[in-house]
Amino acid sequence: MTQDHGKQLQPAGIKKAFLTHEVESQALAEGNLEMKSDFSTQSASRKVLGIPVAQLRDLYRLMVRIRFAEEAIAELVRDEAINSDGELVYDTQGRVVRIKKQINCPCHLCTGQEAIPVGMCAHLSQDDYVFGNHRSHGHYLAKGGGLFEMMAELFGRAEGCAGGRGGSMHLVDVDVGIPGTTPIVASSISHAVGAALATHICGGKRVTVSFFGDGATEAGRFHEGLIFAAYHKLPIVFVCENNLYSSHIRLEERRLVDNLAAYAAPAGMPGICANGNNLFEVYHHAKEAIDRARSGAGPSLLEFRTYRLHGHVGANLDLEKGIRNRMEFDLWRERDPLRFLEEKLLSHGVLTQALLEEMKAEVQKEVDGAIEYARSSPEPQSSELLTNSLSFTSEPCPHAPVVRKASERPGDRDHDKITYGEVNSPWYVGNSTTGLHRRFGTRRVIETPVSEDSITGAVVGAAMAGMRPILIHPRMDFALLAVEQLVGQAANWRYMTAGKVQVPLVARLIVNRGGEQGAQHSQSLQAMFAHVPGLIVVMPATAYDAKGLLISSVLSNDPVIYIDDRWAYGESESVPKEVYTLPLGKGLIRCEGSDVTVVATSYMNRRALEAAEVLRKEGITVEVIDPRTIKPIDTALIVTSVAKTGRLLVADGGWDAYGFTAEVAAVVAESPVVSSLKAPVRRFGLPPCPAPASAPLEKAYYGSVNTLVQAIRELVRFSG
Ligand SMILES: Cc1ncc(C[n+]2csc(CCOP(=O)(O)OP(=O)(O)O)c2C)c(N)n1
Ligand SMILES: [Mg+2]
């Protein structure tokens, strides 16, 4: 495939950069938008317009299946009455007559766009991946996803492809290469890039196809994904289904130039624009791009022009509210890809009218059967509400690690004395990645100074494709660009696919506080991530824990946010050379005491130990707990300690308000131990303002061992 293909498809004599609907329709009528190749010269007995006849019949049936399914779904989601002309029915007071819909989840129908998924998937095997979006019924069915399971999912049933957890926008069928779809626009482009990266790293001939709309090309992650995929020559095909609308906004109301396929060139890949309503055109471009990806030559961008015959979401046509006009709609209805194909099949003798009708009747029966199956399927049990949020399972380590007990600490046999930060960046990540490039090569150790969103999404996709990637955001602040991928995608995927797909990634986020860096290079956002149900959050305090917890995090089948605080990097201790794991969710008493319990995370734990030492000389004994895992929190350890001491101070490097310190206070407040407290719970986190830059303000902001000692002393002396 070359850029020239795209040029061939530009209508002759049209100089305007922007191809308006009118110009386009004229060009189509004149045949200028048709493929240049004259397929009709090929033998009709073997191939018609370049497609084997047997396959052509199958592709037609598939297009009918998608069309009939969508039309049936339209009636099931309809909640406004229409008359026989398809117009809304109003009551005597001028209100639209409402009807009860049978499918409640929002459905974005792909009626009119069927040729694109069908033409693309014609060249894919079950091993290949397809990543879709909110409008993915067609992608799912074309790739071989089960119609019955899809329909049951739309009805929210337990036997739906996502167990009723996903609905229309989260279709999944791992057996046929659909790791799931997501409605967050352009998000799955990054996932597809990650899955292709997994193939690139692990070898094999698997190709990934990423389907997205024209709106998605206006998102940064689209461009980031293209640049990355082209540079690494990933086996992926980017398919833009340009239906000329993003939600209710037309293409020419959003951009000055109509040139989506042109984005391929600056990224460094071939791109074409073709007629997506012509199955033959899609089929041949798809073959070329997929062959190219499979051969190792790298990605391509295919822009297919099309039009959705339904409105953006649901049964309406978007004519009712004036979003689209009747003329445009009728024009595109004339270009219906199914009718176009039927005409070709009839004129080339692939099918007779009778056979065509017979096939349609069979498909209609199949769709009716799927609806019946969905209706009669059981609903999910509410007792299973929490199932599959987190798995709490781990993979065995290939190196047979020593499993350390939660209470175990470093011994001194066969140990290296190393600093926390030692475990090839000159300044960002301590020395913790030194030598990885040399040892594992640049195929596995990839550096990207920016593109945080897209790379995090790629890591999510690679994890879906079976890898256990470790992603480092050298400053937690930069990970804010990737929050959607961590919070919206990684955390939710297991749940919304009913446990069929897991995302076992480790996102190592480094807090870089201090040094007058100011608000945007200092944030410690563990509470924000811990708030999210599908994430585990780890915060080691020592070098020994940093290694054991990192290995456990990699082996965990859940996504883990592994947070380092740079202020802990200088601490050195002896660490076993062997591979060992530490249990996630288990804390540790670092220092025993009976007067007060101090729960302290990461570098604050070191400060708490120093404070305990100072207070011991005053006759106050402090029990210092290191939770090690922020979520799930080791409630039993904390509550048992507080039952003994009757006092609690929580120290953390994040903000108090709505923070980790607040959570631990709530854990104790909700436990019976609350009635035996001798003093109110005290919090020792950050005050409610952003991190300041200048040194005196920083000093006041972060506190010190002395201020911590003072706070603990006040707590112990509290007399009510
Ligand atoms: C990040 C994000 N922003 C906004 C939305 C709301 N939204 C859902 S679909 C859609 C339109 C997407 O347009 P396009 O990519 O062209 O796909 P189409 O619906 O036309 O198939 C929008 C804006 C969203 N789901 N995700
Ligand atoms: Mg669109």
Side-chain angles (χ1 to χ4, degrees):
M1 181 177 318
T2 64
Q3 289 291 130
D4 295 344
H5 277 83
K7 286 191 194 132
Q8 282 176 15
L9 295 171
Q10 294 300 318
I14 295 177
K15 295 280 187 290
K16 276 168 90 177
F18 199 97
L19 211 60
T20 63
H21 300 312
E22 289 70 26
V23 173
E24 197 174 338
S25 73
Q26 181 199 339
L28 198 74
E30 290 166 1
N32 287 330
L33 273 180
E34 293 277 310
M35 286 276 289
K36 256 201 152 183
S37 335
D38 185 4
F39 297 123
S40 58
T41 57
Q42 296 172 28
S43 159
S45 61
R46 275 186 59 246
K47 287 185 176 178
V48 167
L49 303 178
I51 304 180
V53 164
Q55 187 181 20
L56 203 42
R57 289 197 188 111
D58 288 346
L59 299 183
Y60 171 70
R61 180 188 278 271
L62 196 48
M63 277 180 63
V64 174
R65 182 186 285 135
I66 297 171
R67 171 66 58 92
F68 283 14
E70 294 296 65
E71 284 179 345
I73 294 163
E75 293 316 307
L76 295 164
V77 294
R78 186 180 294 290
D79 60 354
E80 294 173 329
I82 51 166
N83 63 22
S84 53
D85 293 330
E87 292 157 347
L88 290 175
V89 178
Y90 295 89
D91 65 14
T92 49
Q93 277 146 5
R95 290 174 307 210
V96 175
V97 175
R98 294 264 157 201
I99 51 175
K100 188 169 161 35
K101 55 182 170 179
Q102 297 181 55
I103 288 177
N104 291 315
C105 67
C107 290
H108 302 79
L109 303 173
C110 69
T111 327
Q113 302 188 181
E114 299 90 343
I116 302 169
V118 169
M120 288 301 306
C121 293
H123 307 285
L124 300 179
S125 75
Q126 291 201 345
D127 277 350
D128 296 319
Y129 288 128
V130 154
F131 285 83
N133 58 2
H134 53 288
R135 198 176 303 286
S136 265
H137 298 171
H139 308 143
Y140 174 90
L141 292 174
K143 186 65 172 51
L147 175 61
F148 281 45
E149 291 79 1
M150 181 180 100
M151 208 60 91
E153 187 59 39
L154 268 46
F155 273 83
R157 303 303 160 121
E159 282 159 24
C161 59
R165 306 303 200 276
S168 161
M169 297 184 283
H170 301 290
L171 301 175
V172 57
D173 191 339
V174 283
D175 294 337
V176 297
I178 307 168
T181 59
T182 169
I184 304 303
V185 170
S187 202
S188 69
I189 296 177
S190 311
H191 305 159
V193 167
L197 180 65
T199 306
H200 179 66
I201 292 172
C202 301
K205 291 282 173 197
R206 187 175 253 153
V207 168
T208 296
V209 171
S210 170
F211 289 106
F212 49 89
D214 45 299
T217 64
E218 288 146 30
R221 42 186 51 169
F222 163 76
H223 302 276
E224 294 175 27
L226 256 62
I227 291 167
F228 184 87
Y231 179 77
H232 291 278
K233 284 197 170 182
L234 300 187
I236 183 168
V237 182
F238 297 98
V239 181
C240 176
E241 296 172 308
N242 183 356
N243 58 20
L244 311 176
Y245 280 84
S246 181
S247 179
H248 53 294
I249 316 276
R250 291 163 64 104
L251 196 66
E252 59 263 50
E253 290 170 330
R254 302 177 344 241
R255 45 197 311 139
L256 283 174
V257 187
D258 178 8
N259 61 350
L260 304 192
Y263 287 132
M269 68 178 74
I272 61 103
C273 174
N275 178 1
N277 282 13
N278 177 338
L279 176 75
F280 301 96
E281 205 166 309
V282 176
Y283 180 96
H284 293 292
H285 284 300
K287 178 166 172 24
E288 201 169 343
I290 289 169
D291 284 352
R292 176 184 150 84
R294 218 182 283 288
S295 73
S300 313
L301 171 63
L302 309 181
E303 177 202 346
F304 290 122
R305 289 301 177 108
T306 186
Y307 193 80
R308 51 173 159 68
L309 292 174
H310 277 98
H312 171 60
V313 61
N316 290 345
L317 305 179
D318 282 357
L319 297 174
E320 303 84 347
K321 299 185 176 82
I323 292 171
R324 306 195 290 191
N325 69 58
R326 175 62 73 174
M327 228 177 81
E328 172 191 293
F329 180 77
D330 287 345
L331 187 80
W332 279 95
R333 221 166 32 172
E334 286 303 304
R335 304 171 185 173
D336 181 333
L338 194 59
R339 223 179 51 215
F340 170 84
L341 182 59
E342 281 174 3
E343 283 165 14
K344 289 279 183 237
L345 297 184
L346 292 172
S347 64
H348 286 84
V350 178
L351 286 172
T352 61
Q353 189 66 41
L355 278 170
L356 210 118
E357 296 305 331
E358 196 180 306
M359 210 182 257
K360 282 182 163 176
E362 282 168 13
V363 173
Q364 190 58 56
K365 241 172 118 179
E366 198 188 340
V367 171
D368 292 345
I371 294 169
E372 208 34 57
Y373 169 81
R375 273 208 190 99
S376 56
S377 292
E379 293 187 316
Q381 300 288 316
S382 57
S383 59
E384 288 180 3
L385 177 68
L386 301 184
T387 311
N388 281 317
S389 177
L390 281 168
S391 81
F392 296 115
T393 60
S394 292
E395 282 304 292
C397 180
H399 306 295
V402 175
V403 179
R404 302 270 172 192
K405 290 203 189 104
S407 56
E408 226 169 301
R409 307 192 192 180
D412 47 22
R413 184 171 46 85
D414 195 22
H415 284 204
D416 278 344
K417 192 163 172 83
I418 61 172
T419 60
Y420 181 133
E422 218 176 307
V423 230
N424 178 22
S425 158
W427 54 81
Y428 275 140
V429 290
N431 284 319
S432 60
T433 57
T434 304
L436 288 184
H437 263 123
R438 270 194 303 284
R439 210 164 142 203
F440 298 108
T442 49
R443 197 174 265 235
R444 284 184 63 189
V445 182
I446 300 170
E447 284 196 273
T448 59
V450 286
S451 302
E452 287 83 1
D453 173 27
S454 164
I455 297 306
T456 307
V459 164
V460 171
M464 282 181 202
M467 302 202 78
R468 287 181 180 268
I470 304 175
L471 165 80
I472 301 179
H473 283 289
R475 292 182 195 272
M476 194 184 237
D477 313 78
F478 305 161
L480 287 174
L481 277 88
V483 165
E484 194 273 312
Q485 288 296 350
L486 294 172
V487 170
Q489 302 295 337
N492 287 335
W493 215 272
R494 172 183 291 280
Y495 192 80
M496 67 194 189
T497 62
K500 290 178 181 166
V501 181
Q502 59 187 21
V503 185
L505 63 80
V506 178
R508 181 174 163 218
L509 316 182
I510 302 175
V511 183
N512 270 264
R513 71 180 80 238
E516 303 197 9
Q517 298 178 89
Q520 294 177 340
H521 278 63
S522 309
Q523 293 164 106
S524 192
L525 303 166
Q526 55 272 29
M528 190 183 90
F529 290 106
H531 184 63
V532 178
L535 297 175
I536 286 178
V537 183
V538 169
M539 255 187 124
T542 67
Y544 174 79
D545 281 10
K547 176 172 172 179
L549 290 172
L550 181 60
I551 294 169
S552 298
S553 300
V554 171
L555 296 175
S556 167
N557 288 326
D558 294 310
V560 178
I561 307 294
Y562 177 101
I563 301 172
D564 275 339
D565 197 304
R566 202 175 59 138
W567 278 2
Y569 276 8
E571 306 296 342
S572 72
E573 81 181 313
S574 60
V575 170
K577 285 180 180 160
E578 73 207 11
V579 174
Y580 61 93
T581 61
L582 291 168
L584 301 178
K586 290 286 174 207
L588 180 74
I589 296 174
R590 294 226 176 256
C591 161
E592 290 189 6
S594 57
D595 293 321
V596 55
T597 299
V598 172
V599 176
T601 58
S602 184
Y603 81 95
M604 286 303 281
N605 197 272
R606 177 70 56 177
R607 284 190 172 176
L609 289 172
E610 287 173 32
E613 204 45 46
V614 173
L615 289 162
R616 188 181 301 280
K617 291 173 192 148
E618 298 176 16
I620 297 172
T621 64
V622 182
E623 182 139 296
V624 178
I625 290 181
D626 178 358
R628 303 207 273 196
T629 306
I630 302 294
K631 206 201 70 203
I633 183 87
D634 193 342
T635 305
L637 185 72
I638 295 169
V639 167
T640 307
S641 174
V642 174
K644 180 174 77 175
T645 63
R647 297 181 183 91
L648 173 65
L649 180 142
V650 194
D652 179 54
W655 291 293
D656 272 333
Y658 306 90
F660 174 77
T661 60
E663 178 64 19
V664 176
V667 162
V668 168
E670 282 183 343
S671 82
V673 80
V674 70
S675 58
S676 57
L677 282 180
K678 298 172 194 159
V681 173
R682 177 120 188 198
R683 295 191 275 160
F684 192 87
L686 296 179
C689 69
S694 94
L697 291 177
E698 267 194 338
K699 200 171 161 209
Y701 187 62
Y702 290 120
S704 62
V705 174
N706 283 346
T707 52
L708 180 57
V709 166
Q710 180 66 15
I712 299 171
R713 198 186 282 132
E714 283 171 15
L715 180 59
V716 173
R717 289 184 184 159
F718 178 82
S719 59

